[in-house]
Amino acid sequence: MRILPRTLALVVALAAAPALAAEHPGNDVIREKGYQGPQTCEECHPGTAKAFLGTVHWKHASRVTNVDNLDPRQEYGMKNRIYTFCNGNDVVNDLKEIPQNALGKTKLTGCNSCHPGNHLAGVGSSGAEAEAAIDCLVCHSAKYDYSKRKPYKTPDGKVAIGQDRSVEAALAVGKPTVKACMTCHETAGGGTLIKRGFAFDAEHDAHAAKGMTCADCHKAKDHKIPTGFDPNNWANDGVRVACADCHGAKPHKDADYDAHTAKIACQTCHIPTSGGAVAKDFTKWSKDAATGFWEPSTIKREPAGTKPVYAWFNGTVRNEPHLIGPKGSRSDPKSKITPFKIYEGRAYYDRRTGKLLSMDFAQPTASGDTLAGVASAAKTLGLEKVDPVPGWQTIYFANSHLVTKQKALSCDRCHTANGQLDFEALGYSKGEIARRKLKSAELWFDRLHEKEQKKEEF
Amino acid sequence: MKKILSALTLAVVFTLATANPAQAEEKMLGTVTKIDLAGASATATLKDTKSGTLVDLLVDDTVTLDKFKDKRIGVGDEIKAKYEKKDGKNHSTFFKKAGGC
C-alpha cells in the first residue's frame, strides 16, 4: 500500500519533468532586471544579435548559387526578387501608408510587414541600431502578444512595427513553436495558405501528427535555418535539410520501395497533394466591396486540394522571364523525379527588354491602378522608362509538406494506365514502358495482393 | 380541372408555409469592440462598418479562438465575417481580418 503514493509521486514528477526542463535558465535574470529586448538576451547569448543580422530571416536575401541568370556577386530573396507570385518586394513595396481608397480608407501595409525588426531598422540593415531592433520574442516566446506587433506611425511620421517586449512574453522563451513560424510563413503571398498552401497540422501532415514542430526538421544552428531545394525559394543560409537526414537512404521495410529512392524523391510518393494559389493576375486586381481595397486576382485551392506535377530535379533552377522551374533529366545521376506545385502568374513585362517588371502595391491596393504601381516601382528602382505589357510566367514550387504515410502513393497509383506519373513525359519510351511493364498491374499485383492479405491476417 | 388546380395550389401553399427554409448566411464587415472568451467558444462583438450597430458573433472554431487567445485578432481589428442565425444566436462561419497584400 506504501508503494501507491510513491508511484503516484513518481508519475507526477515524470509528468512535470518536461515543463521543468522547459524553464529557460535566464528567467531569473529577466525576473530581476526586466526585459529590454536583445540586450537582455545578449547577457547570456553574446554576439547572437550581430550574427542574426547576417541570416536570411533578417536580410531576406542571400547569395544564390543554384539558379540560372543571376549575378553571383549579388544577394537575392524577398528583399529584391521580381517574379509573379508576389510581384512586389521589400524594396518597391516597402511598408508604408497607402493612398486613400474610394471609401476614404487607408492602411499601413507592405511586403516587409513580417520582418522580425521594427521597420525603422529595416530588411538587411546592420549596426547597433539594427541589433537593438531585433524582435527575438516574436519567434521565441510562446506567450507573445501579437496585438502589440502592428505597424504604426511615429511622431515624426515614420512607419514602425510594434513589439511585445513584456516580461511575461520574455519568461516564455524557448524553441520556436509551430504557431511562431506559421504566423508569418502561413500568411505569405497575400493571405492565409496562399503561397505554399500547406497546413502544418495533424490533419494534413504526418510529422505534425506526431507532435513535431517546424524546428525539428529545420533545425537551426546560429539562427541559420536549413531549407530544401526549391525552384521558387532562392535565399538560403547555406545549410540544407532533406528527408534522408533523418530517414536514411533505405527508409522502408520493403526492398522494392527502397529501390525507388535512387531516382524518386521521397516527396513524390509521400506528398501526393498540393494546395494554395494556382494562379494570380497582377495586371487586373479585384475590388473588395466591403473594404474598398483592391487585391491581386487570385485563384486558390485548399491544402491538399490539388495534385502536383512531376519533373526531374537536380537542385538547380531554370530562371527565365516566363519560367522558373526545375533543371534535371533522367540521364543526370543527381536528378530525381520530384513533385511540384505548378503556378501561373500574369504581370507586366517591359516590351523593350522582355524583362519582368515589379509593382508597388500602394496604388493598386487603393484604386486598382496597376500601371501606377508599376510606374512607382520603376521610379524606386531608377528605371527611367518602361513600356509595360501583360505576360504570363510559370513557376514550379517545391512540394515539401503535407507529408503522408497512410495515403502515400502505392504501386497501383503510378504503375497503371493514366496513373499519377506520366512516364512518357518523364523520358521513358513507349517501348521501355511496355517492356518493363511500367503501366501494368502485372508489375505489382502479386506482391501487393500478398501484402494486403497480411494486413488482414489475425 | 378546377378541382385539380385548386388542390395543386393548396399543396404548393402548404409546402411553402411549412417548409423549414435553409438558414441564409449573413455577411458583414466590422470592427472588433469586445471579445469574451469562455472555454471552447467566444463571443466577439463587431461594430458594423456600414450601420454602426453592434453584432455579437459566437465563435467556436479552434483556429480563430487561438487567434483571440494570443491577440492576433483583438479589439480594433477590422474583420470580414459570415454567420448563420441559429437558436437565437449568430454562429460565425467565417471570421478573418480584412487584410491582404
Side-chain angles (χ1 to χ4, degrees), chain A residues 29-311:
Chain A
V29 176
I30 295 168
R31 283 190 197 97
E32 184 189 332
K33 297 184 180 175
Y35 182 72
Q36 285 84 38
Q39 74 177 71
T40 301
C41 306
E42 285 274 320
E43 285 193 31
C44 297
H45 305 280
T48 304
K50 188 175 183 184
F52 182 71
L53 301 185
T55 67
V56 168
H57 271 83
W58 188 258
K59 295 193 299 177
H60 283 186
S62 76
R63 296 272 173 91
V64 178
T65 57
N66 63 325
V67 179
D68 288 351
N69 301 319
L70 298 183
D71 182 344
R73 295 163 299 178
Q74 299 291 319
E75 295 196 330
Y76 297 87
M78 286 183 289
K79 179 182 177 181
N80 57 0
R81 270 187 69 186
I82 300 173
Y83 68 136
T84 62
F85 195 85
C86 294
N87 204 221
N89 56 42
D90 296 339
V91 173
V92 301
N93 189 34
D94 182 34
L95 172 62
K96 58 185 169 292
E97 184 173 30
I98 66 164
Q100 284 190 351
N101 67 16
L103 300 177
K105 295 168 77 170
T106 183
K107 60 181 174 179
L108 301 171
T109 185
C111 286
N112 42 356
S113 316
C114 260
H115 186 250
N118 64 2
H119 190 249
L120 300 174
V123 172
S125 58
S126 58
E129 192 187 339
E131 288 176 32
I134 297 169
D135 191 352
C136 307
L137 301 184
V138 75
C139 297
H140 286 286
S141 172
K143 289 190 176 172
Y144 194 89
D145 179 348
Y146 288 92
S147 69
K148 293 178 180 168
R149 201 185 145 78
K150 285 183 177 170
Y152 65 95
K153 284 179 97 171
T154 62
D156 59 350
K158 292 175 181 167
V159 176
I161 300 175
Q163 297 183 8
D164 180 6
R165 290 189 169 185
S166 65
V167 169
E168 189 190 9
L171 290 175
V173 295
K175 195 171 76 168
T177 60
V178 170
K179 185 174 73 185
C181 300
M182 295 306 268
T183 294
C184 285
H185 287 277
E186 192 175 81
T187 54
T192 309
L193 300 174
I194 292 276
K195 191 174 185 180
R196 300 195 177 278
F198 67 82
F200 192 76
D201 56 29
E203 181 189 347
H204 293 96
D205 192 284
H207 293 117
K210 282 187 176 293
M212 291 173 66
T213 68
C214 309
D216 286 329
C217 293
H218 298 275
K219 196 173 273 182
K221 192 179 175 202
D222 300 331
H223 288 96
K224 292 183 175 175
I225 317 277
T227 47
F229 287 96
D230 179 350
N232 173 66
N233 193 30
W234 296 354
N236 65 86
D237 281 322
V239 278
R240 297 294 186 178
V241 63
C243 310
D245 297 348
C246 289
H247 295 285
K250 293 183 176 178
H252 309 97
K253 291 174 187 166
D254 181 314
D256 291 324
Y257 282 159
D258 278 343
H260 283 69
T261 60
K263 286 291 176 186
I264 310 276
C266 306
Q267 300 95 309
T268 296
C269 298
H270 288 281
I271 310 180
T273 58
S274 190
V278 294
K280 280 191 194 181
D281 187 350
F282 284 95
T283 69
K284 291 177 190 167
W285 288 37
S286 312
K287 189 177 181 180
D288 183 325
T291 64
F293 290 118
W294 297 69
E295 284 279 319
S297 302
T298 303
I299 296 172
K300 67 169 182 171
R301 298 287 176 258
E302 293 298 313
T306 59
K307 279 204 297 187
V309 298
Y310 299 89

